[in-house]
Each structure stands twice: as structure tokens, then as C-alpha cells.
Amino acid sequence: VACGSLYCCDRMKAINLKLEDRYMKFIEEGLKDAPVIMLIHGMGCSGEHSFRNTVKKLKNEYRTIIVCLDGYDSSEVPFSSISNQSEKIANYVIEKYNGKIHFILGMSMGGFITIDLLSRFNIECDKAILDSGYLKPWTRFNAKIMSKLVSWGFRKLIKGKSNLIIEKTMQTSMGYCFKKEDLCLDATKVTLKNSEYSCLTYQLPELSKLGNMSVEYWYGKKDKNMIEGMKELKKQLPNMKEICFGDYGHGEFMFEHSEEYADMVIKSVKNC
């Protein structure tokens, strides 16, 4: 029987935990005993919005889990770091699914978290998709400046106050400017700044664990920074498969062609 559930913190327990250690929210739908499909959203985005069409098409055959990262989807806990998020996800998967996932997709920052999760923890996974999910690290000084600027820009977009400077900068750096409806409206300045800084300074770990599974890197031709990141990943993952959406920017195909994107995910799951 298909069912839906929301796994989140017990407020009485959580009150005794440090803010960054409080429980993460997960949205589960689909068949209880079916293969587990985990979806991790990107920076600034809502997990529920990003994957709504994908879940609709998967939940009648699989157990789908949308990870609602801290600071997003009405979470009261601000985003702290990639390592903190991957540890929370690992604890959840180990507790509820004995450390086994059939398929995991991480979009943008979700790709960083997927890399961290699968390289640091004993999580079994048949296939991982990194959708524009890694870039070469910046210096901490430059990352601090950029994270403040990006946080400011995203907050303007969230409030519906975009301008030509923001749009031109995003088009130049990512090949796509996010729209207000693409974003998580309750993402705070702190969450956005911490998210961007964590991505820009993320140091690639040793990836031998990922070498034993099927890994794909999805990208658009306009997303030049993520293409450079893909080249870095290939040094450790020479068998990683590259799949290009075409002439698209960062996140553009997922948001502008969500039905086709969902079909791509389904096809990839079927081919596990």
C-alpha cells in the first residue's frame, strides 16, 4: 500500500540538543518495503518543489525520500555545513534502512552532500547521480566574500526584488538565473551564506568507496564551473559516466523542464 510520512524531530527531545544537532526533516512517500530512492536538493531551493514531479512518478513503485536540508522547507535549524548534513542523513539511513539505499540523487549542493555521505559513512548504494554536484574549492578569503554576495542576491530573488546586476551575474557564472518560484522562500541569510561557503570551500575526500558503485554526473553546457568540478571528480572516479542535458545552465533543465527531468530520473533508476 502506498503511504506518506514525515520524519522530523521530537520537539521535547530536540530542545536539549545544540541547534546544529537537532533532527533533520525527511519527507517519505511510496511503498514501505520497496527500494529506497533518496533525493537531496540544492542551495536556496525547496526539496518539496524541486522533486515534486519526480516523486509523483516514482512513489507507486519505490520508497521515495526527499531530504529537507537544515534551513530549508520550514526547518527551524539553520544550515551549518556539508559534513553536518551528511552525518544527519547517514544516521537516518542507518537507523531506518540499515544503511542501505538503492538510488540517491543530489542536485548542486545536494551533490556535494552525496559525495560526503557516501565517502565518509558506511552507506550501501547501488547508484548515485551528481547533478551539477561539485566544483573546485576556492580560497577561504574569496569564499567568504562570495558567500555574502550570493546570500544577498538569493534573498533579493526570494523577495521578488531581482535586478539586472543579479540576473547578469547568475547568467555569467551559472548560465541560468533562478526564479522566485524555484527557491525556498523561508531560507534565511545565515542559511544561504553558510550553504554557499560550505560548497565553495569543500575539499574533495578520498573516493574509493564510490568506485564500487555506479556514479553519473549530469550537467548543462553553460554550467562551466560545475564542468570543471566534474573533471576533478574524474581523476578519482575514471568510470564515472557523464550525461549532458544540452545547452542549459545550472539547475535550468530541472526547473524549466521538470517533467522531462523526472523521466530522466526514472530511466536512471530503472537502469540500476
Side-chain angles (χ1 to χ4, degrees):
V1 179
C3 67
S5 68
L6 181 66
Y7 178 93
C8 56
C9 66
D10 179 318
R11 291 180 180 272
M12 295 303 291
K13 286 182 180 179
I15 201 167
N16 295 318
L17 298 173
K18 290 189 296 184
L19 196 59
E20 65 270 22
D21 293 333
R22 294 185 184 181
Y23 295 98
M24 182 181 281
K25 184 171 76 171
F26 299 85
I27 300 173
E28 296 195 10
E29 293 188 59
L31 306 177
K32 272 192 173 181
D33 298 319
V36 176
I37 311 298
M38 178 170 276
L39 307 166
I40 308 178
H41 65 86
M43 177 194 158
C45 303
S46 160
E48 293 185 72
H49 174 69
S50 298
F51 300 117
R52 68 190 187 285
N53 286 329
T54 302
V55 168
K56 283 179 186 177
K57 295 187 176 187
L58 285 171
K59 66 182 181 180
N60 291 328
E61 295 184 59
Y62 300 94
R63 184 66 170 175
T64 63
I65 303 173
I66 293 176
V67 178
C68 299
L69 299 171
D70 288 349
Y72 299 95
D73 295 296
S74 302
S75 168
E76 297 176 358
V77 184
F79 186 97
S80 56
S81 67
I82 286 170
S83 60
N84 174 267
Q85 300 300 282
S86 65
E87 183 174 358
K88 287 186 176 185
I89 296 169
N91 290 337
Y92 170 80
V93 173
I94 291 167
E95 178 185 341
K96 291 207 71 181
Y97 295 100
N98 297 314
K100 297 179 181 179
I101 302 175
H102 180 55
F103 180 98
I104 182 168
L105 183 152
M107 192 274 162
S108 188
M109 183 170 71
F112 289 74
I113 293 168
T114 298
I115 292 169
D116 203 68
L117 171 71
L118 298 177
S119 63
R120 290 177 56 215
F121 301 97
N122 292 322
I123 302 296
E124 294 182 35
C125 181
D126 296 315
K127 189 172 188 178
I129 304 297
L130 309 173
D131 179 356
S132 306
Y134 178 70
L135 52 74
K136 295 171 69 173
W138 293 32
T139 65
R140 293 185 180 276
F141 177 77
N142 288 338
K144 281 186 178 180
I145 295 172
M146 181 57 70
S147 62
K148 291 179 181 179
L149 291 173
V150 170
S151 173
W152 172 82
F154 268 75
R155 287 296 299 163
K156 286 288 188 182
L157 291 173
I158 287 169
K159 293 177 181 178
K161 297 180 180 179
S162 181
N163 58 54
L164 288 176
I165 294 174
I166 294 171
E167 292 171 12
K168 181 67 174 177
T169 301
M170 283 195 170
Q171 287 287 356
T172 301
S173 62
M174 302 191 303
Y176 177 65
C177 182
F178 289 105
K179 298 180 176 62
K180 180 179 180 179
E181 56 266 28
D182 300 335
L183 302 174
C184 180
L185 301 185
D186 54 19
T188 65
K189 185 190 299 183
V190 171
T191 281
L192 293 167
K193 184 174 70 174
N194 289 350
S195 296
E196 179 70 5
Y197 183 78
S198 195
C199 288
L200 291 177
T201 57
Y202 184 70
Q203 298 291 328
L204 199 63
E206 203 277 324
L207 301 178
S208 59
K209 289 183 180 179
L210 277 75
N212 298 322
M213 66 184 72
S214 175
V215 180
E216 293 181 1
Y217 195 94
W218 294 3
Y219 68 98
K221 288 182 181 179
K222 292 181 180 178
D223 199 0
K224 295 179 181 179
N225 288 329
M226 294 300 178
I227 292 174
E228 290 302 310
M230 177 179 67
K231 293 176 182 177
E232 291 297 307
L233 283 175
K234 288 283 281 188
K235 293 176 182 178
Q236 287 200 56
L237 299 172
N239 295 323
M240 181 177 73
K241 187 176 181 180
E242 302 170 19
I243 295 180
C244 180
F245 295 128
D247 200 25
Y248 294 98
H250 191 75
E252 184 177 3
F253 188 76
M254 183 179 75
F255 288 120
E256 300 294 336
H257 304 280
S258 61
E259 291 286 346
E260 293 94 328
Y261 186 87
D263 289 337
M264 274 189 67
V265 176
I266 291 167
K267 183 178 179 181
S268 188
V269 171
K270 298 286 187 185
N271 290 336
C272 276

